[in-house]
Amino acid sequence: MTPLPKLSVIEVNFDAVVDYDGRLVILVDENGKLETLGGRINKLMKGALDRVLASGDFQSLALGKVLSLPYPVGLKAQGLTIVKLNQNSGVEEASACGVEIAKAIECKDILILCGEFKKSANLVEGLILRNYNYLDQKTNTKSTAFNLQVMVQSVEEHVDKINEKLAVIDGVFFTRDLINAPANVLTTSSFAEQLSALSDLGIKVEVLDEPELMKLGMRTLLCVGQGSDSPSKVVVMHWNGGGKEAPFAFVGKGVVFDTGGISLKPAAGMEDMTMDMGGAGVVAGTMKALALRKAKANVVGVVGLVENMPSGNATRPGDVIKSMKGDTVEVINTDAEGRLVLADILWYTQERFMPSGMIDLATLTGAIIIGLGHEMAGVFSNNDKLSNQFIDAATAEGEGAWRMPLTQAYDKQLKSRIADMKNVGGRAAGSITAGQFLKRFVKDDMPWAHLDIAGVASIAQESAFSPKGATGWGVRALNRMIADNYEGVEDEPGG
Ligand code: BES
Ligand code: ZN
Ligand code: ZN
């Protein structure tokens, strides 16, 4: 598990600054003028801070960027990082600046002198999100929690906002750890165990095993996992923080490893398919965040955990499978398995919970990467209001999301000669036909959005808020969407 920093929010105290032996971070306006605390530090440093601020190095520094001095004279600190950031900076500038601080300092003990700065929570958010490092599989380098102190004028004004951010980041880290974990470590069973442990936070967790899934008729889900020695599972997580209203539902694809099955994937790059449980990972992280910040909403998370392996017992191309809904599917390609998993859990979620709305997340198609690359997830929805609620939340959190078409015109690509439908629609519009397939398992009046996160769940390059690997994309957006539209609504779901 990647630990969060040990965070404390403290009142401005000059003596604590003088005695601090970690990394000090000071915010300075672009005009280079020092506030009271900065002035006193400058004095201790015999004017060296003023000289830096008057230098070309500071003058030419872009806003939001940082300049680090090792072992500053007159202080006990190991280093002083000067951040060029205006007091009136917005939320995005503040979090981007936090990212710059993280890049400059890495995991060392840090004291940030925020003083009167209003956006301390956003600064801290950027810093912690970027500082994540997955070390669970390294022998000699273990992650240790570093101490992060935030010095502010008024603790009361900042502490709740900062703690709320920390709860959400905890969810993001959980998602990243799950997605980064290799498939021999994160099996269907160990995944279910990790989810069961969320009950410590007040989430009610149920794990449905194969006999129960068979009884429910979830054959399209079960047919994906039947070639694997790891048992398929469906995990249901309930967070009941609201009133009597129907819950909102999150549904996630949790393919712990996708070999493609009998329609085997090529060897090159197959190792990346450890991230094919990304949808379930984001659902899990979001549930954790909601519980940690005690969201006043009812939310249910349902994930389908399976492993797609070839074996003598695996589903064959050409097999016809009956879904829980009752529709039959001709499996043309066993590598289009995510939609088979989702079909049954989408149906189950609607039948059991009658949610006020439903969002599924899945690393569903390679085609979405061709369409949108690694910057944006694809949003497919039958409901403009829900789709906008999500896209607005994602935009506010700096998580890319772009609406894609979903219309009857693409449906004919799924026609099967012998069954009600087939599971692939050919090369053209591969992400849209996948969405159309899912839509067949969504009731007409159910507000629903499908997020294809294949391009954003785990990426080879570092992104704005995360290092290489799992990003945790979606946890912050979904958390915000609930906060902005589904909290405190009682009988009026959907805000
Ligand atoms: N898990 C893959 C999609 C994927 C690709 C996720 C790349 C992340 C990165 C999915 O199960 C899959 O294999 N989809 C096929 C569908 C095709 C057979 C219709 C694909 O995209 O090639
Ligand atoms: Zn696949
Ligand atoms: Zn897959």
Side-chain angles (χ1 to χ4, degrees), residues 5-130:
K6 289 183 211 126
L7 185 93
S8 44
V9 184
I10 55 173
E11 218 125 273
V12 170
N13 170 354
F14 184 60
D15 293 336
V17 176
V18 177
D19 287 337
Y20 189 68
D21 58 5
R23 310 280 160 141
L24 270 179
V25 177
I26 182 170
L27 315 185
V28 184
D29 261 44
E30 60 187 329
N31 60 24
K33 229 181 99 234
L34 288 169
E35 302 294 319
T36 330
L37 197 57
R40 292 176 75 180
I41 293 171
N42 181 48
K43 238 187 216 153
L44 281 180
M45 290 176 67
K46 301 192 184 350
L49 184 52
D50 256 347
R51 285 177 55 208
V52 175
L53 300 181
S55 73
D57 287 345
F58 183 78
Q59 307 288 326
S60 60
L61 194 68
L63 260 182
K65 299 284 181 198
V66 307
L67 203 60
S68 288
L69 306 178
Y71 301 99
V73 68
L75 296 173
K76 288 211 183 99
Q78 282 179 31
L80 175 68
T81 296
I82 303 162
V83 178
K84 194 179 208 174
L85 189 67
N86 289 334
Q87 285 287 322
N88 62 0
S89 300
V91 167
E92 282 164 34
E93 289 158 290
S95 53
C97 183
V99 169
E100 291 300 321
I101 298 170
K103 284 201 241 174
I105 306 184
E106 292 191 348
C107 302
K108 307 272 167 41
D109 288 348
I110 300 175
L111 169 58
I112 311 180
L113 310 178
C114 277
E116 305 265 14
F117 186 61
K118 292 268 182 286
K119 304 286 187 312
S120 63
N122 303 94
L123 189 86
V124 167
E125 181 188 32
L127 195 163
I128 303 176
L129 280 173
R130 188 58 177 73

Side-chain angles (χ1 to χ4, degrees), residues 313-361:
N313 195 38
T315 297
R316 293 160 284 256
D319 284 1
V320 174
I321 316 289
K322 201 180 197 68
S323 67
M324 182 184 174
K325 182 186 171 196
D327 293 354
T328 55
V329 181
E330 184 186 8
V331 178
I332 298 293
N333 190 322
T334 63
D335 196 11
E337 84 296 343
R339 63 198 75 182
L340 298 174
V341 173
L342 289 171
D344 274 345
I345 52 177
L346 283 169
W347 193 254
Y348 173 74
T349 302
Q350 293 165 96
E351 290 278 288
R352 177 163 171 203
F353 297 108
M354 288 180 282
S356 59
M358 181 167 72
I359 291 185
D360 77 73
L361 295 101

